[in-house]
């Protein structure tokens, strides 16, 4: 008993040291820390493989064929009681390290009156390391470090796609007994969270599960490393889209760079590629890009051949993908919002003038000078 307590105390000391070395994960993300601060910032790949210092206190109950499971979540309103004044819900998917847990709430605070009738929902996709480090119950869902962001099954008895978590959140928000005035749902994510949101916009069934509720859904895809393309076309050096030569990179069109193979098991199975493409192009999607997120060798940047086929930097890939969807359908309403001078930071992106416009429809993005 004494030895187990000593191990537990050592683990808590280790977690505290990690937390201190990267600053408070509840108030800022790592990319916001000044190089002159003296705080050591781990490379993202190393950070991803360490336990999170903070686990969301709330729990989202999810029924599965293997029993009842839970996911850590934060909800800015009590969604077990009627919230008559709420007209908008903003669901924020954290980034790859699973630590930027307050970027949505921080943006809402800065947005002021524009976000007053908004509920902010922030789920947290944990890994086995996180669950073990915090001694969480066996029924807490957990995924592989690289799996949750692309919709793969959880690594537990439930074995459910991470996309099903968002399905459940949509289902909760569609409850008119709790949210009788809800008009808009915004699903937003930054970096790996942005990948998740774009993938979900292709495969997700949350909109269909809203039933008769007249709720508009918007997707905000912020600074992802790569995009899920709907055909085999990629931009050439002149920005012209043409079928990509697969002999130079056989993985270029596999999930989640494309739809050729390895689409995650997510019941019911998706329709044909043409059906997915048609549905995606009808979505209300904002590509929120930081103009300073333009380092070819930036921390956490995907430098695989499949990623390089989309462009050299996150910013270039975002501009190229926007041109691509408009080439597929010149009449779509999807658009780019640019956060000028901002790099790879969820807090700064969502709190920017254009970030607040994307999340809360606050005016000012067209003339923004960040």
């Amino acid at each position: 008993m004494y030895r187990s307590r000593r191990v537990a105390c050592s683990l808590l000391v280790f977690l505290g040291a990690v937390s201190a070395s990267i600053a408070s994960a509840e108030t800022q993300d790592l990319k916001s820390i000044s190089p002159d601060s003296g705080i050591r910032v781990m490379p993202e790949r190393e950070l991803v493989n360490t336990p999170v210092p903070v686990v969301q206190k709330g729990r989202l109950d999810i029924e599965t064929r293997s029993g009842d499971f839970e996911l850590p979540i934060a909800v800015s309103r009590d969604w077990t009681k009627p919230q008559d004044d709420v007209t908008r819900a903003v669901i924020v998917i954290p980034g790859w390290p699973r630590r930027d847990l307050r970027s949505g709430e921080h943006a809402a605070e800065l947005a002021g009156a524009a976000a007053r009738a908004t509920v902010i929902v922030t789920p947290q996709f944990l890994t086995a390391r996180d669950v073990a480090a915090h001694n969480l119950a066996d029924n807490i869902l957990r995924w592989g470090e690289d799996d949750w962001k692309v919709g793969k099954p959880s690594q537990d008895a439930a074995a459910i796609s991470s996309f099903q978590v968002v399905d459940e959140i949509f289902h909760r928000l569609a409850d008119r007994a709790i949210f009788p005035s809800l008009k808009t749902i915004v699903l937003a994510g930054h970096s790996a969270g942005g990948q998740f949101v774009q993938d979900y916009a292709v495969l997700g069934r949350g909109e269909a599960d809203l039933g008769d509720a007249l709720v508009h859904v918007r997707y905000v895809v912020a600074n992802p490393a790569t995009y899920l393309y709907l055909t085999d076309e990629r931009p050439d050096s002149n920005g012209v889209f043409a079928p990509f030569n697969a002999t130079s990179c056989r993985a270029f069109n596999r999930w989640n760079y494309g739809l050729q193979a390895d689409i995650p098991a997510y019941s019911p199975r998706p329709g044909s590629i043409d059906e997915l493409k048609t549905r995606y192009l009808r979505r209300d999607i904002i590509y929120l890009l930081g103009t300073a997120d333009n380092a070819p060798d930036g921390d956490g940047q995907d430098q695989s051949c499949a990623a390089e086929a989309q462009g050299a930097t996150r910013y270039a890939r975002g501009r190229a993908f926007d041109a691509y969807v408009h080439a597929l359908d010149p009449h779509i309403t999807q658009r780019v919002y640019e956060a000028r001078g901002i790099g790879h930071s969820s807090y700064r992106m969502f709190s920017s003038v254009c970030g607040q416009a994307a999340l809360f429809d606050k005016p000012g993005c067209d003339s923004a000078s960040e």
Side-chain angles (χ1 to χ4, degrees), residues 19-332:
S19 178
S21 70
I22 63 175
S24 173
E26 290 185 301
T27 57
Q28 62 182 343
D29 66 357
L30 303 175
K31 307 298 181 181
S32 300
I33 298 174
S34 168
D36 301 326
S37 66
I39 297 172
R40 184 176 72 86
V41 178
M42 294 182 186
E44 191 167 46
R45 173 75 264 185
E46 182 181 343
L47 187 66
V48 165
N49 290 329
T50 64
V52 296
V54 174
V55 175
Q56 301 281 46
K57 294 181 180 179
R59 295 292 181 265
L60 175 68
D61 298 323
I62 299 178
E63 295 182 10
T64 77
R65 293 178 180 178
S66 301
D68 295 338
F69 284 77
E70 296 180 344
L71 182 111
I73 195 168
V75 185
S76 64
R77 300 282 193 107
D78 183 353
W79 65 353
T80 66
K81 300 176 181 178
Q83 300 291 334
D84 296 349
D85 64 320
V86 169
T87 60
R88 179 182 298 251
V90 175
I91 307 164
V92 179
I93 307 298
W96 196 22
R98 314 173 302 283
R99 286 157 164 80
D100 49 332
L101 303 178
R102 289 200 68 250
S103 57
E105 292 182 21
H106 181 61
E109 290 167 4
L110 294 180
R116 192 162 295 148
T118 300
V119 57
I120 308 293
V121 182
T122 310
Q124 187 179 25
F125 297 95
L126 298 182
T127 67
R129 285 187 178 93
D130 300 329
V131 172
H134 291 275
N135 196 29
L136 300 177
D138 291 340
N139 70 332
I140 296 294
L141 293 164
R142 77 286 311 264
W143 281 264
E145 285 82 355
D146 298 323
D147 292 350
W148 67 266
K149 61 191 177 75
V150 295
K152 289 186 178 181
S154 56
Q155 296 181 344
D156 45 49
I160 64 168
S161 167
S162 52
F163 293 156
Q164 288 177 247
V165 171
V166 175
D167 293 343
E168 180 60 31
I169 294 172
F170 270 64
H171 179 71
R172 296 289 185 93
L173 294 172
D175 185 348
R176 285 307 196 190
I178 303 297
F179 297 108
S181 306
L182 189 69
K183 297 178 180 177
T184 303
I185 294 175
V186 178
L187 177 62
H190 179 264
S191 194
Q195 280 187 311
F196 180 102
V197 169
Q198 200 238 339
D199 292 350
Y200 187 85
V202 174
L203 289 188
R205 59 173 183 265
E207 287 195 40
D209 285 351
L210 290 174
D212 295 332
L214 298 178
V215 176
H216 176 74
V217 178
R218 172 182 295 164
Y219 303 86
V220 178
V221 179
N223 290 343
T226 59
Y227 293 80
L228 175 59
Y229 273 71
L230 309 170
T231 66
D232 65 354
E233 296 171 298
R234 298 294 185 274
D236 64 16
S237 58
N238 297 314
V240 177
F241 292 91
F244 187 75
N245 183 1
T247 59
S248 65
C249 182
R250 297 193 178 279
F252 89 99
N253 211 24
R254 303 180 77 88
W255 184 267
N256 71 329
Y257 303 103
L259 292 165
Q260 182 183 52
D262 299 334
I263 296 176
Y266 173 55
S267 182
R269 296 296 296 165
S272 69
I273 301 301
D274 284 342
E275 287 179 284
L276 293 177
K277 181 173 71 173
T278 299
R279 187 176 67 176
Y280 182 82
L281 294 175
R282 290 200 303 260
R283 303 288 203 207
D284 175 9
I285 301 177
I286 294 175
Y287 305 102
L288 180 62
L289 308 179
T291 62
D293 199 354
N294 56 5
D297 58 350
D299 187 22
Q301 172 83 321
D302 187 342
Q303 296 178 303
S304 67
C305 64
E308 295 294 324
Q310 300 185 14
T313 69
R314 292 185 180 96
Y315 178 66
R317 291 169 189 174
R319 295 296 308 184
F321 191 80
D322 177 64
Y324 166 73
V325 292
H326 281 84
L328 292 178
D329 182 355
H331 304 293
I332 64 170

